[in-house]
Amino acid sequence: MSVTRKRIVVTGMGVLSSIGKDVAEFKQSLLDRRCGISASPEYRKYFDGAYASEIDYAVDYPGLDPDVIKNVDKGALWAYRVGREALLDSDLFESPLKEKIGLMMGISAGGTEAFLPALLGEPEKLNWKMVQNSGSYSSVSHLAASLLDLGGGFELVSTACTASPNAIGLAFDAIQNNKSEVMLAVGSEPLYIPTFAGFYALKAMADGPCSPFSGVAGMSIGEGAGALVLEEYEHAKKRGAPIYAEILSYATTGDAYHETAPDPKGEGASFVMNFALRNAGLEAKDIEYINAHGTGTEANDRAETLALGRVFAENRDVPISSTKSYFGHNIGSAGVLELIACMLTLSEDKILPTLNFSEARSYCDLNYVPNDFREQKVNVFMKNNYAFGGNNCCMIVSMQPDSKAASTYEPRRVAITGLGTVSSLGANTAAFFEKIAEGVSPSALEKLPKGAAGPGTPNLIDGGSAPDAVATGDTSEGAESQGIEGMEELLEALKNLPVDEEGNLNFRFHRVVKFNARKLLRNFDPRKMNEICTFALVAVEEAIADAGYKVPKGRREEVGMIMGMSRGPTSTIQKLTDSLQPNPNNVRTKEFAMSLMNSIATQCSIARGVKGYNTTLATGYNASLGALMQAYEVLRQDLQDYMVVGASDEKGAGYTPIMHLDQTLLNYDADPTAYQVYSAAGDGYFAGEGSCCMLLEKYDAAKERGAEIYGEIVGYGRASDRLFFNDADHDAQDHWGRAMGRAITLALNEAGIAPKDVDMICGSSWGTRYSNLAELQGVRHAFGEAAKDIPLTNFNNRFGFIEAASGQMNLAATLHCMRENTVFPILYTQDFAVDGLNYATEAIKKEIRHALVLGVSEGGNNYALLVRRPE
């Protein structure tokens, strides 16, 4: 039965830019044609002729304590600032609706600022409290959600220059599936030296303010943040909210071409525009204006012009301009700021010009709007953004809500037909299933030598440049003079580390079994690939083969890909940061591209020729569950035929020194049975590495082609505990689990089943007090008395806690339980954290029709995914 899509409107906006500290100032600067790109004193210290669009004024953060401002990075603070403005604009900042409002956020340089002094050769200026608060990539999302007091869950999109429009797309989809009537979409991107150095090394920079499509090619880099409140139209009208525009549709695709360069044929860019038009139920002739990506580089402007000419062959007079000529390329926040710029000026019947426009380049033959506003009333316009890794995003927007017919779709059932796993249990799913059933847990003792630098922790524990107290473990009083902010806390953490007599730190780790990637992968060159990509490539290859599916050469766009990430390619990030010293001009371009969070999805897409829906969610622990939910949503709305979805983590994600200095996480007991999930002690986890990937497809199509179906996804929920600073010791433990209870209820409601119909629960808690209580108390909140009858298990201590991938690993194990009609047990734990639940301490034989998989992130995101046994 056909379903009419909900109308999604914009009811609030927030801005922070080089040309405006708020929406009003930003709009006036646009109308005044003010260019915010100028010579950069900061970056000319390192790079000749550096230009940038920078926020060079003091930013105020109303409502935040000075200590918070001092100890949180700008990525989170700017998200709070623009999110607050947007929520105030929409009259929601103090609304009880905030408990249900979710946050979808985009960024490219997450977690950088905390380590910036070390990157610049000044480790004595490190702020240890900021390292604790903002030292992980995903921290910006959970900090922003907590600061804004939002309870509807969050995701962090990391697709470089398309991060914020992709975040808007996720918010759009969440409302479509009744997860909330209101969502907040944010892009936040401070400019830091690794980003500037990378683009400079690629020789992509302009010698002055950029001039897209004209003059001398080159881009201008910038920074800023933007926020939009998205809301269901009838809900917005009912409460009298301001309505600025309607988001008609969005689409995202991948080029499957190159790590940094766009496909010169513009094929992926053409696909994404056509898909967005299809999703809106429109044609190219309906578009009255295009706000282009328009970076100013030859590669982008040539490929984009070619793609636009192809899609708009019958409408070549449509006006086109690039807003980057005003405030540069803001990377992760580019799309949302440019979209806001369009809405603010089109509401005045003015089409934005491309500033600094001289003579169009020979290959730029479209209807560009140069230098001055074009007076024209526009209803429907298109907003395009493209990114490293060949990620493309397109949004179609109406300035007159309810003026176009709402699009429709046929809701699809979603099947899991392929599995691929790489872990300490084996390099294939058969071995994984066998060891799950046997109850094997093959961890091994690892050693972090005294003075060693851990992957992903640049220069912090490097005896050559870091303060002695950190580099050598010297906790004497003299060490306190090193100048690190929060040194007393750091010294206390160092004193508590269980080092041996030689000063080495020993811990148990689940290392991936040895395998020969060249035998498993075609055209594999280990010299060009890091471990996290290798694990993912092997898992993706197996998942596709296991499903009995081949990506068709002539229809590669019918397959999409979503990857979940936590710390990402830490070994490559280490190489990149090392290359910044002593001269940032020597940064290696290969590491720059491969250090990005979306590089894993990029490499997998290139290897398998996957050109459909493409995004990366770097939300941290159990990010694979968020990736699964979005892949399900794309298929449910009939936007894609097949989706490859997974997550991957390499060894660096398991034993960085920062993790060792947080005593609430890792368990240091040498006893291999010491990792006990859901234990009352909450002693932490043994870490692991590996990857899990799945192929999802439409259920009916899977049946028709005779595919073996592991299970059907029938519902999901997402909600967030509003933790601040990820403080596992704060006094709100009685509240832990309420968000998980809400997430479970959302999943049950979507599936249309009662709590009593759930036959087993599998959690993904990693074994700390917070993660244990969030899941277990959440089960009690959602199921009440019924909880005592539902077997509950968790498989993390079989393969180690693999940060991003564990949720999906647990789902894979759950699907095996369903096949075997057996709930395989929790290993080792005897004294559980919460009474009154039916813990599976031994194998339980029973028919399993519905299974619930749970997971929480380190920042308080709660996931609930409901799967059903195939018919």
Side-chain angles (χ1 to χ4, degrees), residues 19 81 85 150 187 388 399 411 452 464 469 633 744 822:
I19 63 169
R81 176 67 159 64
E85 184 183 11
L150 304 179
F388 273 12
M399 294 299 298
E633 191 59 51
I744 292 170
T822 303

Side-chain angles (χ1 to χ4, degrees), residues 43-340:
Y43 288 102
R44 289 194 175 196
K45 297 175 187 175
Y46 312 101
F47 309 102
D48 291 340
Y51 276 78
S53 175
E54 297 169 277
I55 294 176
D56 57 3
Y57 52 85
V59 180
D60 63 323
Y61 303 102
L64 295 189
D65 186 277
D67 280 346
V68 172
I69 297 169
K70 181 180 182 181
N71 297 317
V72 172
D73 71 326
K74 287 189 293 187
L77 290 173
W78 288 4
Y80 165 79
R81 176 67 159 64
V82 297
R84 180 181 186 274
E85 184 183 11
L87 290 167
L88 284 169
D89 185 28
S90 191
D91 196 25
L92 290 169
F93 187 67
E94 297 181 352
S95 169
L97 286 173
K98 286 172 72 173
E99 183 177 72
K100 293 177 61 180
I101 296 176
L103 170 68
M104 299 301 182
M105 185 171 172
I107 198 168
S108 182
T112 303
E113 186 175 342
F115 299 106
L116 201 56
L119 300 182
L120 297 175
E122 300 176 313
E124 70 280 358
K125 294 183 179 179
L126 281 166
N127 176 344
W128 177 241
K129 291 184 177 179
M130 183 180 287
V131 170
Q132 288 179 299
N133 297 330
S134 300
S136 71
Y137 190 95
S138 64
S139 62
V140 291
S141 55
H142 73 244
L143 286 170
S146 290
L147 291 170
L148 291 165
D149 199 29
L150 304 179
F154 53 85
E155 296 291 349
L156 183 63
V157 182
S158 184
T159 52
C161 313
T162 57
S164 59
N166 275 326
I168 293 169
L170 264 67
F172 180 93
D173 286 337
I175 298 174
Q176 292 294 345
N177 198 359
N178 303 307
K179 303 308 175 184
S180 179
E181 292 88 3
V182 185
M183 296 290 292
L184 182 68
V186 173
S188 181
E189 191 74 30
L191 179 58
Y192 301 119
I193 197 165
T195 303
F196 197 104
F199 279 106
Y200 193 86
L202 287 169
K203 303 186 185 306
M205 299 291 203
D207 293 332
C210 66
S211 175
F213 305 113
S214 77
V216 178
M219 66 175 283
S220 298
I221 201 161
E223 61 181 357
L228 295 176
V229 174
L230 300 190
E231 187 167 356
E232 193 275 322
Y233 181 51
E234 296 300 330
H235 186 271
K237 284 201 304 181
K238 185 176 180 179
R239 68 180 190 86
I243 297 176
Y244 297 103
E246 179 183 355
I247 309 293
L248 298 179
S249 72
Y250 85 102
T252 178
T253 63
D255 283 352
Y257 175 74
H258 190 267
E259 294 91 344
T260 58
D263 176 3
K265 297 178 182 178
E267 187 178 67
S270 299
F271 282 150
V272 81
M273 287 185 275
N274 282 323
F275 287 170
L277 288 166
R278 176 203 66 186
N279 297 344
L282 298 177
E283 299 177 15
K285 64 182 177 60
D286 297 314
I287 302 300
E288 300 164 58
Y289 164 62
I290 300 167
N291 188 268
H293 186 54
T295 62
T297 66
E298 179 170 348
N300 176 89
D301 292 2
R302 184 185 290 274
E304 185 169 15
T305 296
L306 186 64
L308 286 167
R310 182 182 299 124
V311 174
F312 291 91
E314 305 301 319
N315 188 18
R316 291 182 66 86
D317 290 333
V318 61
I320 299 168
S321 64
S322 169
T323 323
K324 290 179 176 67
S325 57
Y326 275 90
F327 43 81
H329 191 349
N330 287 201
I331 315 298
S333 62
V336 66
L337 280 169
E338 292 161 10
L339 178 59
I340 291 171

Side-chain angles (χ1 to χ4, degrees), residues 355-598:
L355 301 183
N356 316 313
F357 200 96
S358 55
E359 183 177 349
R361 296 182 213 139
S362 59
Y363 50 82
C364 297
D365 57 353
L366 300 174
N367 183 18
Y368 310 105
V369 181
N371 300 317
D372 292 314
F373 282 96
R374 182 173 297 178
E375 302 290 334
Q376 182 176 323
K377 190 172 186 61
V378 169
N379 179 11
V380 180
F381 69 95
M382 176 181 282
K383 173 76 205 86
N384 290 331
N385 288 99
Y386 312 121
F388 273 12
N391 191 271
N392 311 297
C393 194
C394 176
M395 294 179 286
I396 297 180
V397 182
S398 168
M399 294 299 298
Q400 300 169 30
D402 202 16
S403 63
K404 293 292 182 179
S407 61
T408 61
Y409 67 95
E410 297 290 333
R412 303 295 183 180
R413 296 169 64 188
V414 178
I416 302 169
T417 56
L419 298 180
T421 62
V422 176
S423 71
S424 63
L425 302 185
N428 59 69
T429 301
F432 178 82
F433 284 165
E434 180 182 342
K435 299 294 174 58
I436 288 292
E438 291 176 358
V440 173
S441 178
S443 63
L445 280 171
E446 298 273 346
K447 179 182 292 185
L448 185 66
K450 180 179 179 180
T457 312
N459 298 329
L460 188 62
I461 303 189
D462 181 344
S465 60
D468 291 342
V470 188
T472 67
D474 177 9
T475 59
S476 63
E477 290 185 11
E480 296 188 38
S481 64
Q482 294 297 323
I484 291 183
E485 186 80 28
M487 176 58 86
E488 290 182 8
E489 230 177 299
L490 174 55
L491 291 176
E492 189 62 31
L494 284 164
K495 289 176 183 177
N496 290 333
L497 287 176
V499 296
D500 62 21
E501 294 179 355
E502 298 176 354
N504 300 317
L505 188 59
N506 301 293
F507 55 96
R508 299 198 75 86
F509 186 81
H510 282 261
R511 186 185 291 275
V512 162
V513 297
K514 291 184 178 180
F515 62 90
N516 188 338
R518 285 180 169 174
K519 289 185 176 180
L520 300 174
L521 301 170
R522 293 170 293 176
N523 304 318
F524 178 76
D525 186 349
R527 297 169 300 176
K528 297 180 180 180
M529 209 59 59
N530 50 27
E531 283 195 325
I532 192 170
C533 282
T534 302
F535 298 157
L537 285 165
V538 171
V540 165
E541 189 79 18
E542 185 189 12
I544 293 174
D546 183 45
Y549 175 71
K550 290 185 178 181
V551 179
K553 287 186 177 181
R555 302 191 312 279
R556 297 188 186 277
E557 69 278 7
E558 74 180 32
V559 191
M561 180 173 292
I562 302 179
M563 281 287 168
M565 289 287 121
S566 180
R567 298 174 197 268
T570 53
S571 58
T572 305
I573 292 170
Q574 184 69 53
K575 292 177 183 178
L576 174 70
T577 56
D578 287 347
S579 73
L580 289 169
Q581 293 293 333
N583 183 354
N585 283 276
N586 295 331
V587 71
R588 293 188 289 264
T589 56
K590 179 180 183 295
E591 273 80 31
F592 178 51
M594 290 292 286
S595 70
L596 298 176
M597 282 288 181
N598 67 325

